[in-house]
Amino acid sequence: MKIGIFDSGIGGLSVLYEAMHLLPHEQFIYYADEKHVPYGEKTKEEIIGYVDEIIQFMIERDCKAIVIACNTATSAAVSIMRKKYHIPIIGMEPAVKKAVDLYGKQKVLVCATPITVKGKKMLDLVERVDKDHLVDLVALPKLVRFAEKQEFNSDEVLAYLKEALSKFDFKEYGSLVLGCTHFNYFKDSFHKLLPQVHLLDGNLGTINYLIKNIELEDLESSVEYYYSGQRVLGKELQRIECYLKRLEKMKDIGK
Ligand code: DGL
């Protein structure tokens, strides 16, 4: 059986990337909801509808577990979907606890989409782990659009980040949590602006949790890609290859 991984777009490829390394004998379906990206600017109800449709799509294709490789969709829909479906549904959790545990002598900046930043899941998480009030939150919705256009380190990206982060005094921060899977493509730009700050994401934690919840198989590794239900084949796969190459480049930045 397969493992389904999905995101509003290409951000979740960073989770797939991790999964392919840790689970070399599994088969994956990757679904990017390109018709509806960005989720971070939609309503919660709209996101629940999209997620429901994708989970049904994956169940019809015999997935044994589903990873919501999107912090925004997790925030809006994971608890409802877990009540509705009876296969393991793994969500994303921004690495806030890890940041506080490892670098909690200094402040922690968490960036995500507006839905994730304002969502109850994030507020509960911060309340649970941020005993010393070190955590600040910031929404960076434009990064999702830049990532979808494959614009990763242009002058526009840097200017946007500079402006959006201008109210934070970088000297006070020890870590930055990438609370949106699309943000993994910008590690070099974040690192340029905040060279002394550690960059953390929740991808490894998510895949480790997936591993605990599935029966492992010994299959020949493969991935089927879909854009909103349409199989991605032939030349179109080149776009996905570009993202995977970019992730390879980003992987050790800010560790
Ligand atoms: N990649 C997504 C996340 O992790 C959402 C981006 C979006 O569609 O706004 O939050």
Side-chain angles (χ1 to χ4, degrees):
M1 291 175 88
K2 295 184 171 135
I3 297 168
I5 300 185
F6 75 90
D7 178 39
S8 61
I10 46 67
L13 288 173
S14 62
V15 181
L16 174 72
Y17 176 89
E18 195 81 58
M20 289 195 294
H21 285 92
L22 292 175
L23 296 166
H25 302 293
E26 297 288 329
Q27 297 185 334
F28 299 96
I29 289 184
Y30 184 81
Y31 187 119
D33 195 5
E34 292 289 318
K35 251 194 213 162
H36 300 119
V37 66
Y39 281 5
E41 297 172 37
K42 302 281 190 306
T43 66
K44 193 174 165 183
E45 289 66 34
E46 283 172 316
I47 297 169
I48 292 169
Y50 306 145
V51 170
D52 199 3
E53 204 177 298
I54 298 168
I55 291 182
Q56 284 178 36
F57 179 94
M58 294 202 157
I59 290 174
E60 280 162 22
R61 277 156 190 80
D62 215 20
C63 288
K64 61 182 169 186
I66 293 171
V67 179
I68 306 184
C70 173
N71 293 269
T72 310
T74 302
S75 168
V78 74
S79 40
I80 299 176
M81 296 303 138
R82 284 195 184 129
K83 282 187 198 126
K84 185 163 175 188
Y85 298 103
H86 300 290
I87 64 167
I89 298 180
I90 317 299
M92 298 298 300
E93 178 166 290
V96 185
K97 181 169 183 326
K98 192 169 167 189
V100 171
D101 287 349
L102 289 177
Y103 309 111
K105 288 201 165 61
Q106 282 177 291
K107 285 183 156 194
V108 176
L109 186 57
V110 182
C111 47
T113 66
I115 291 253
T116 306
V117 163
K118 285 189 251 140
K120 183 170 179 327
K121 249 183 163 314
M122 177 68 87
L123 301 180
D124 288 350
L125 172 64
V126 171
E127 196 183 299
R128 203 168 67 238
V129 304
D130 185 22
K131 301 293 174 218
D132 297 328
H133 305 293
L134 294 165
V135 175
D136 287 319
L137 301 169
V138 61
L140 299 173
K142 276 201 189 158
L143 281 192
V144 177
R145 291 178 183 274
F146 281 127
E148 290 290 330
K149 287 193 287 180
Q150 294 187 323
E151 190 173 335
F152 303 122
N153 49 13
S154 63
D155 291 348
E156 285 75 13
V157 169
L158 274 175
Y160 170 64
L161 283 177
K162 253 189 203 157
E163 162 66 27
L165 302 178
S166 61
K167 63 174 180 179
F168 303 102
D169 180 358
F170 294 163
K171 288 192 300 299
E172 297 177 355
Y173 292 83
S175 57
L176 183 129
V177 174
L178 305 169
C180 168
T181 51
H182 277 77
F183 296 177
N184 286 289
Y185 296 103
F186 301 97
K187 284 185 177 172
D188 52 354
S189 297
F190 281 116
H191 189 65
K192 213 180 228 175
L193 287 177
L194 305 100
Q196 82 293 359
V197 164
H198 297 274
L199 305 177
L200 300 165
D201 65 61
N203 292 357
L204 182 61
T206 298
I207 299 306
N208 282 333
Y209 193 65
L210 167 71
I211 292 171
K212 285 195 193 130
N213 281 278
I214 52 170
E215 295 226 2
L216 296 177
E217 290 178 77
D218 194 13
L219 303 169
E220 194 179 327
S221 146
S222 69
V223 191
E224 280 170 34
Y225 294 97
Y226 292 86
Y227 287 157
S228 300
Q230 288 293 322
R231 184 85 188 260
V232 182
L233 290 166
K235 272 202 171 151
E236 274 188 330
L237 286 168
Q238 285 171 5
R239 177 170 180 257
I240 289 174
E241 284 301 320
C242 281
Y243 284 108
L244 293 171
K245 275 199 196 123
R246 174 83 187 156
L247 291 168
E248 180 73 31
K249 253 192 180 169
M250 294 297 101
K251 77 175 177 348
D252 293 324
I253 298 179
K255 277 206 166 150

